[in-house]
Amino acid sequence: MPEPERIWIVGASEGIGAELARAYAARGASLVISARSEDKLQALADEIGAEAVPADVSDAQSLAAAAERIAAGGPLDRAITLAALYDPGKVLEIDPEFAAKIVSVNLTGSFHFARTAAPLLREGGDLVLTGSVAGYVGLPQGQIYSASKAGVISLCETLRAELAPGIRVRMISPGFVATRLTEKNSFEMPAVLQPEDAAQRILRGLDGKRFEVHFPRRLTLPLKLLRVLPYGLALRLTARLVQ
């Protein structure tokens, strides 16, 4: 019988990351899970039989220490990060210090993770970063989160070219998912999904070969269309969202 996939998931202590870890564990994968929250991480590891390796994507040294432990167990088939910070609000109203933390986790953290995880992957392994539909276009009240996720999208596209063919770079672009982060939203979220549903969509998407796993399509496809429209039209349409 073939050996089980060896997968590293960062941002696994709760939300989509935790549900994705549960889904892969149910398939028999050999899992390494990481997050900053050590208590929640260890509880999940005990539940699903995973190895807990605490790590903070915004801290390159923390990731390097985690990588040293992971490398001792052999090469990875997949390395996935879902770690993120989020705070809704207008750009000129958000706290600058927290805005810097959002960039540090979402964008710089993805950069650190890619540099750390790539050497751990076997030939043909998957390096998976998480963007967002919020990164497709500059949406009202998307603030620095949207900007950071737009940066992740660009980073994924760059890495896809730079690391081919030895490593397959993949991108996850979720819509609204009911998590601790999106509880902050004061507006009605269109096409909102539960974390379990999101995890299953990611699982199926990563089983395929496409660069991007985006969902739900009733939300992502209109936003993709908005992304390719001329600015004159696209900006008029997005302006209506704050009227």
Side-chain angles (χ1 to χ4, degrees):
M1 293 181 61
E3 292 187 4
E5 280 191 305
R6 188 162 188 254
I7 302 172
W8 182 22
I9 301 177
V10 177
S13 60
E14 58 184 319
I16 303 173
E19 294 304 327
L20 184 61
R22 288 188 177 99
Y24 271 122
R27 293 211 317 195
S30 173
L31 287 171
V32 180
I33 57 174
S34 296
R36 291 179 297 172
S37 177
E38 294 188 30
D39 291 344
K40 290 181 179 179
L41 187 69
Q42 190 59 58
L44 179 61
D46 293 342
E47 174 194 333
I48 64 176
E51 178 185 0
V53 179
D56 179 353
V57 294
S58 67
D59 183 341
Q61 292 184 340
S62 171
L63 279 175
E68 187 174 352
R69 289 180 56 182
I70 293 167
L76 295 168
D77 295 285
R78 300 181 196 271
I80 305 168
T81 180
L82 294 120
L85 283 182
Y86 172 70
D87 192 28
K90 296 181 179 179
V91 171
L92 297 184
E93 296 173 356
I94 186 174
D95 175 64
E97 290 187 5
F98 194 71
K101 289 181 181 178
I102 289 174
V103 174
S104 178
V105 171
N106 296 358
L107 179 53
T108 311
S110 294
F111 167 76
H112 288 325
F113 179 77
R115 287 170 56 88
T116 303
L120 301 176
L121 288 162
R122 64 165 176 79
E123 182 79 12
D126 284 351
L127 175 64
V128 187
L129 307 183
T130 300
S132 170
V133 298
Y136 287 171
V137 293
L139 296 173
Q141 298 196 51
Q143 43 84 359
I144 203 71
Y145 175 82
S146 293
S148 70
K149 290 299 187 178
V152 173
I153 291 171
S154 178
L155 178 63
C156 285
E157 293 168 349
T158 298
L159 288 170
R160 177 79 171 190
E162 289 184 354
L163 297 181
I167 293 173
R168 293 193 307 174
V169 176
R170 318 286 296 280
M171 181 171 69
I172 304 168
S173 298
F176 292 105
V177 181
T179 67
R180 177 178 55 83
L181 297 181
T182 56
E183 284 178 356
K184 300 177 182 180
N185 289 336
S186 59
F187 55 88
E188 183 176 348
M189 296 180 288
V192 64
L193 301 174
Q194 293 302 311
E196 299 86 350
D197 187 2
Q200 289 299 324
R201 291 170 185 250
I202 293 169
L203 194 76
R204 292 193 297 269
L206 293 180
D207 281 343
K209 296 182 179 180
R210 291 185 177 180
F211 166 61
E212 184 186 20
V213 179
H214 62 92
F215 57 86
R217 289 178 179 262
R218 62 185 182 276
L219 175 63
T220 61
L221 292 180
L223 288 174
K224 282 182 175 291
L225 175 61
L226 191 63
R227 186 183 184 188
V228 300
L229 290 175
Y231 273 134
L233 178 56
L235 293 177
R236 286 201 300 272
L237 292 173
T238 54
R240 293 181 182 179
L241 298 175
V242 292
Q243 294 176 354

PDB file of all heavy atoms in Angstrom, residues 31 42 130 148 178 205:
ATOM      1  N   LEU A  31      -0.259  14.035   9.559  1.00  0.00           N
ATOM      2  CA  LEU A  31      -0.387  15.482   9.665  1.00  0.00           C
ATOM      3  C   LEU A  31       0.580  16.099  10.669  1.00  0.00           C
ATOM      4  O   LEU A  31       0.788  15.574  11.759  1.00  0.00           O
ATOM      5  CB  LEU A  31      -1.803  15.857  10.086  1.00  0.00           C
ATOM      6  CG  LEU A  31      -2.906  15.711   9.034  1.00  0.00           C
ATOM      7  CD1 LEU A  31      -4.259  15.918   9.666  1.00  0.00           C
ATOM      8  CD2 LEU A  31      -2.695  16.702   7.901  1.00  0.00           C
ATOM      9  N   GLN A  42      -2.703  21.693  20.505  1.00  0.00           N
ATOM     10  CA  GLN A  42      -2.451  20.380  21.097  1.00  0.00           C
ATOM     11  C   GLN A  42      -3.752  19.596  21.273  1.00  0.00           C
ATOM     12  O   GLN A  42      -3.767  18.374  21.090  1.00  0.00           O
ATOM     13  CB  GLN A  42      -1.751  20.529  22.439  1.00  0.00           C
ATOM     14  CG  GLN A  42      -1.237  19.208  23.014  1.00  0.00           C
ATOM     15  CD  GLN A  42      -0.256  18.525  22.086  1.00  0.00           C
ATOM     16  OE1 GLN A  42       0.770  19.092  21.721  1.00  0.00           O
ATOM     17  NE2 GLN A  42      -0.556  17.287  21.687  1.00  0.00           N
ATOM     18  N   THR A 130      -2.938  30.957   1.027  1.00  0.00           N
ATOM     19  CA  THR A 130      -4.345  31.350   1.042  1.00  0.00           C
ATOM     20  C   THR A 130      -4.497  32.829   0.752  1.00  0.00           C
ATOM     21  O   THR A 130      -4.040  33.682   1.520  1.00  0.00           O
ATOM     22  CB  THR A 130      -4.997  31.013   2.395  1.00  0.00           C
ATOM     23  OG1 THR A 130      -4.903  29.605   2.612  1.00  0.00           O
ATOM     24  CG2 THR A 130      -6.468  31.419   2.401  1.00  0.00           C
ATOM     25  N   SER A 148      -3.569  43.222   1.643  1.00  0.00           N
ATOM     26  CA  SER A 148      -2.618  42.152   1.957  1.00  0.00           C
ATOM     27  C   SER A 148      -2.914  40.899   1.150  1.00  0.00           C
ATOM     28  O   SER A 148      -1.993  40.206   0.694  1.00  0.00           O
ATOM     29  CB  SER A 148      -2.637  41.840   3.463  1.00  0.00           C
ATOM     30  OG  SER A 148      -3.836  41.207   3.853  1.00  0.00           O
ATOM     31  N   ALA A 178     -17.985  31.409   8.023  1.00  0.00           N
ATOM     32  CA  ALA A 178     -18.388  31.769   9.392  1.00  0.00           C
ATOM     33  C   ALA A 178     -17.322  31.322  10.386  1.00  0.00           C
ATOM     34  O   ALA A 178     -17.283  30.168  10.804  1.00  0.00           O
ATOM     35  CB  ALA A 178     -19.731  31.130   9.730  1.00  0.00           C
ATOM     36  N   GLY A 205     -10.610  20.556  -4.142  1.00  0.00           N
ATOM     37  CA  GLY A 205      -9.872  21.398  -5.076  1.00  0.00           C
ATOM     38  C   GLY A 205      -8.403  21.039  -5.156  1.00  0.00           C
ATOM     39  O   GLY A 205      -7.822  20.983  -6.240  1.00  0.00           O
TER      40      GLY A 205
END
